[in-house]
Amino acid sequence: MRMQVPRVLSRTQRVALPGQTRNDAGGFAYPLEPRQQLERFLILGTEGGTYYVSEQRLTLENVKAVLELLYQEPAYVLERTATISEQGRAYKNDPALFVLALALASGRDAIRTLALEAMPRIVRTGTHLFTFVDYLTQLRGWGRAVRRAVAHWYQARDLRELAYQVTKYRQRYGWAHRDLLRLAHPKADTAERNALYRYILTREVSANLPAEVGAYLEAVERLNAPDLPLPEAARLIRDYALPREVVPTHLLTSAEVWNALLPAMPMTALIRNLATMTRVGLLTPDSEATHFVVAQLTDRARLRQARVHPLQVLAALVTYERGRGGRGSGVWEPVPAIVRALNGAFYATFENVAPTGKRLVLALDISGSMSWGNVGGIMGLTPRIASAALALVTLNAEQEAHVVGFSHQLMPLKLKPDMPLERAVKYLERLPFGATDCALPMLWALERGVAADAFVIYTDSETWYGEVHPVEALRMYREATGIPARLVVVGMLANPFSIADPNDAGMLDVVGFDPNTPSAIAEFVRGNL
Ligand code: CA
């Protein structure tokens, strides 16, 4: 049965409904609440901008929104920033570091005090410290409070951990630990700590260091000696659990060296270096190293403990499976067992999703703008591809859902549960582009008599093309079918819009590619949010 779609009041998405504001595509959508915008900025970042807005303007808009909220609710902003950072809910920690730097540069004592309290939770590694200092100097420069905060970063670390951090990340953005030490003057309360600070300044390994720390630093220095025989290098790496970052570049073409690095390699480094380890010949079908790597990747507890982010696995998978890197970084033969393990690891990095048993329509915006911008700042990972992967997580939990794609027209998508991610990505990449009408999924369900308890729309909310606003289409659907259908809008980029009406309790806006996104969708569809 085909139902007649009634013509409604607005007649076009280019006229505002009450509460809407003009989006960047020239249509109208709802402005995002400031707290939601903070959430999107922290989790999605702004790298690459959007189809409609340059990266710079998008960053500026987010900075303005964050600053406003920071002045109104500083405790909320800093607590939220620290929590999202600690829980590893964002692929990159940079937005959190930026919010912290904004707070320290705000010029208000109360905000600065809160920022200094939150700092240890957000600035955890040497790389974080350099990024933070880089932002801070761009915003304001060094003050007494900042000097003290940086000094505290050094003072608060035990010597073993500090030795690891200062050798693993020696410098970045033109800053070295040497510079920071000179500027911040951290106090050395013991001769041992003093000896480590001296090492940072001069790279001289003193007898005053604790034996274990001294041996580690000695190993780092010997590894960098010229003409070190390969077996000796591998022995040093293995015996002292040295990280890849301290290994001189010319040794990184050797399978023996990578094999020595593997046992102590952090999970995130392991995922990042799969292609290299395959290229140098360490990971081959059936090699012992491959078995080790597959065991790591399929260890759900380890993945969660290491807070591996789903975007990291997705990025690794898409690159690895291709068998070639960007900018002449070589070719390799992907090992099928590793591709399979990465597919499984992707699902394991999300919060557990229990099936809702509800009737779902998963609708992916496949308009032209969704092929623009990098989700999480990952080159080539467009919102179109990322949303397909995210939809597969929900589809796999539910087993039964309609999956459709929409631009100015709607088409069923051939995404199936258990479909390998790399195949889904290739399929999505080949679909045609078009203008954006976010009302189509509801209008389609109405026309076809598809019963749906919830519509889940993955979009950048830049809707403008159709005659009916998405919220009007949902209300028409509810009225015509008698089903109190819910709408979840999954925001794939950090722009300030949503098509969900914030005053309708049956609509929800969530941030795409937070490890909690699929479980939040399921909770809302169940009626628990
Ligand atoms: Ca669009």
Side-chain angles (χ1 to χ4, degrees):
M1 180 198 68
R2 269 179 93 88
M3 267 184 276
Q4 188 65 44
V5 176
R7 292 287 169 251
V8 285
L9 309 171
S10 67
R11 289 192 196 285
T12 167
Q13 292 182 16
R14 290 177 171 261
V15 173
L17 294 178
Q20 289 187 330
T21 166
R22 191 180 284 276
N23 64 27
D24 287 315
F28 286 90
Y30 296 94
L32 217 55
E33 295 287 316
R35 284 183 171 198
Q36 290 173 303
Q37 203 176 340
L38 172 72
E39 207 95 347
R40 273 200 200 170
F41 175 62
L42 287 170
I43 292 171
L44 297 172
T46 60
E47 268 160 284
T50 76
Y51 179 76
Y52 303 100
V53 181
S54 74
E55 176 175 341
Q56 243 179 346
R57 212 188 101 200
L58 194 63
T59 306
L60 204 65
E61 276 171 6
N62 276 281
V63 169
K64 272 192 206 144
V66 169
L67 263 181
E68 240 166 72
L69 194 62
L70 198 56
Y71 286 132
Q72 284 158 11
E73 307 184 79
Y76 173 84
V77 171
L78 286 157
E79 174 58 33
R80 202 71 203 127
T81 302
T83 302
I84 286 176
S85 173
E86 270 177 333
Q87 292 181 346
R89 286 176 51 192
Y91 172 67
K92 282 192 174 175
N93 199 33
D94 294 14
L97 293 165
F98 189 71
V99 171
L100 185 69
L102 273 182
L104 273 171
S106 70
R108 296 202 187 167
D109 285 347
I111 299 178
R112 200 182 297 147
T113 306
L114 287 164
L116 289 174
E117 277 170 29
M119 187 177 153
R121 297 170 62 194
I122 302 170
V123 187
R124 296 182 301 274
T125 69
T127 293
H128 295 167
L129 184 68
F130 290 137
T131 308
F132 168 69
V133 165
D134 183 52
Y135 287 147
L136 206 57
T137 46
Q138 288 182 45
L139 288 169
R140 190 187 172 88
W142 287 68
R144 206 159 54 93
V146 176
R147 256 197 283 279
R148 240 189 288 158
V150 172
H152 181 76
W153 188 89
Y154 290 95
Q155 282 159 355
R157 261 151 197 81
D158 77 27
L159 297 180
R160 178 74 184 81
E161 159 72 6
L162 187 56
Y164 181 78
Q165 288 295 338
V166 301
T167 47
K168 187 173 180 188
Y169 312 102
R170 280 192 194 274
Q171 58 199 355
R172 211 172 184 192
Y173 307 121
W175 291 97
H177 285 289
R178 203 186 315 124
D179 311 322
L180 298 188
L181 223 54
R182 283 188 186 128
L183 278 161
H185 284 300
K187 290 232 167 2
D189 47 7
T190 62
E192 285 149 336
R193 188 167 288 271
N194 193 42
L196 183 54
Y197 291 169
R198 273 218 70 71
Y199 169 80
I200 296 171
L201 294 171
T202 64
R203 287 185 80 154
E204 162 200 319
V205 182
S206 133
N208 283 338
L209 286 161
E212 192 201 354
V213 175
Y216 169 83
L217 294 176
E218 197 88 53
V220 170
E221 294 304 319
R222 275 174 57 203
L223 189 67
N224 283 275
D227 305 324
L228 186 73
L230 210 55
E232 175 63 3
R235 191 192 63 77
L236 284 171
I237 291 166
R238 201 185 303 274
D239 288 357
Y240 295 94
L242 302 181
R244 182 197 60 82
E245 286 81 355
V246 308
V247 180
T249 320
H250 71 271
L251 292 178
L252 290 173
T253 52
S254 148
E256 193 180 353
V257 164
W258 282 98
N259 198 34
L261 285 166
L262 197 50
M265 196 179 288
M267 197 67 167
T268 49
L270 183 144
I271 292 170
R272 210 172 32 236
N273 289 300
L274 287 170
T276 305
M277 290 190 287
T278 305
R279 206 179 53 228
V280 300
L282 178 63
L283 302 180
T284 56
D286 237 31
S287 74
E288 220 173 286
T290 296
H291 290 301
F292 177 82
V293 164
V294 168
Q296 301 285 302
L297 290 175
T298 48
D299 186 339
R300 197 184 166 92
R302 267 217 68 189
L303 285 167
R304 303 189 66 81
Q305 194 196 355
R307 299 197 196 294
V308 174
H309 195 276
L311 275 178
Q312 189 189 17
V313 183
L314 184 62
L317 175 58
V318 171
T319 311
Y320 185 74
E321 194 269 340
R322 243 177 235 151
R324 59 185 160 77
R327 284 177 293 145
S329 61
V331 291
W332 58 89
E333 187 69 41
V335 177
I338 290 173
V339 175
R340 278 196 302 276
L342 281 171
N343 261 286
F346 175 73
Y347 293 98
T349 50
F350 288 98
E351 280 291 308
N352 278 321
V353 196
T356 62
K358 302 277 189 189
R359 297 163 293 183
L360 297 182
V361 172
L362 307 181
L364 279 64
D365 183 343
I366 53 168
S367 68
S369 66
M370 293 290 283
S371 298
W372 198 272
N374 305 314
V375 176
I378 299 171
M379 283 295 285
L381 196 65
T382 60
R384 183 191 260 220
I385 295 171
S387 58
L390 201 52
L392 275 176
V393 179
T394 296
L395 189 60
N396 268 283
E398 300 292 343
Q399 298 294 323
E400 203 188 334
H402 291 281
V403 190
V404 297
F406 65 91
S407 52
H408 56 280
Q409 55 191 358
L410 186 135
M411 63 174 88
L413 293 185
K414 291 184 191 125
L415 294 183
K416 301 268 181 297
D418 304 323
M419 186 177 195
L421 285 161
E422 65 277 11
R423 250 194 29 228
V425 165
K426 275 185 199 133
Y427 166 65
L428 260 287
E429 275 174 337
R430 280 197 302 264
L431 295 177
F433 304 107
T436 322
D437 182 357
C438 290
L440 281 180
M442 281 74 74
L443 295 177
W444 166 82
L446 193 54
E447 247 183 49
R448 299 291 170 95
V450 172
D453 299 304
F455 295 88
V456 185
I457 298 190
Y458 305 78
T459 182
D460 56 10
S461 293
E462 301 278 18
T463 191
W464 58 272
Y465 182 78
E467 295 185 338
V468 183
H469 276 284
V471 293
E472 290 176 320
L474 180 69
R475 283 175 191 138
M476 282 157 56
Y477 181 85
R478 286 170 176 168
E479 215 156 282
T481 60
I483 304 171
R486 301 192 139 207
L487 171 66
V488 185
V489 179
V490 188
M492 299 304 298
L493 290 171
N495 64 11
F497 309 109
S498 176
I499 54 167
D501 182 347
N503 296 314
D504 186 323
M507 301 188 201
L508 178 74
D509 185 274
V510 296
V511 183
F513 261 101
D514 174 340
N516 297 336
T517 302
S519 53
I521 292 171
E523 281 300 286
F524 183 74
V525 167
R526 254 186 230 112
N528 294 344
L529 272 184

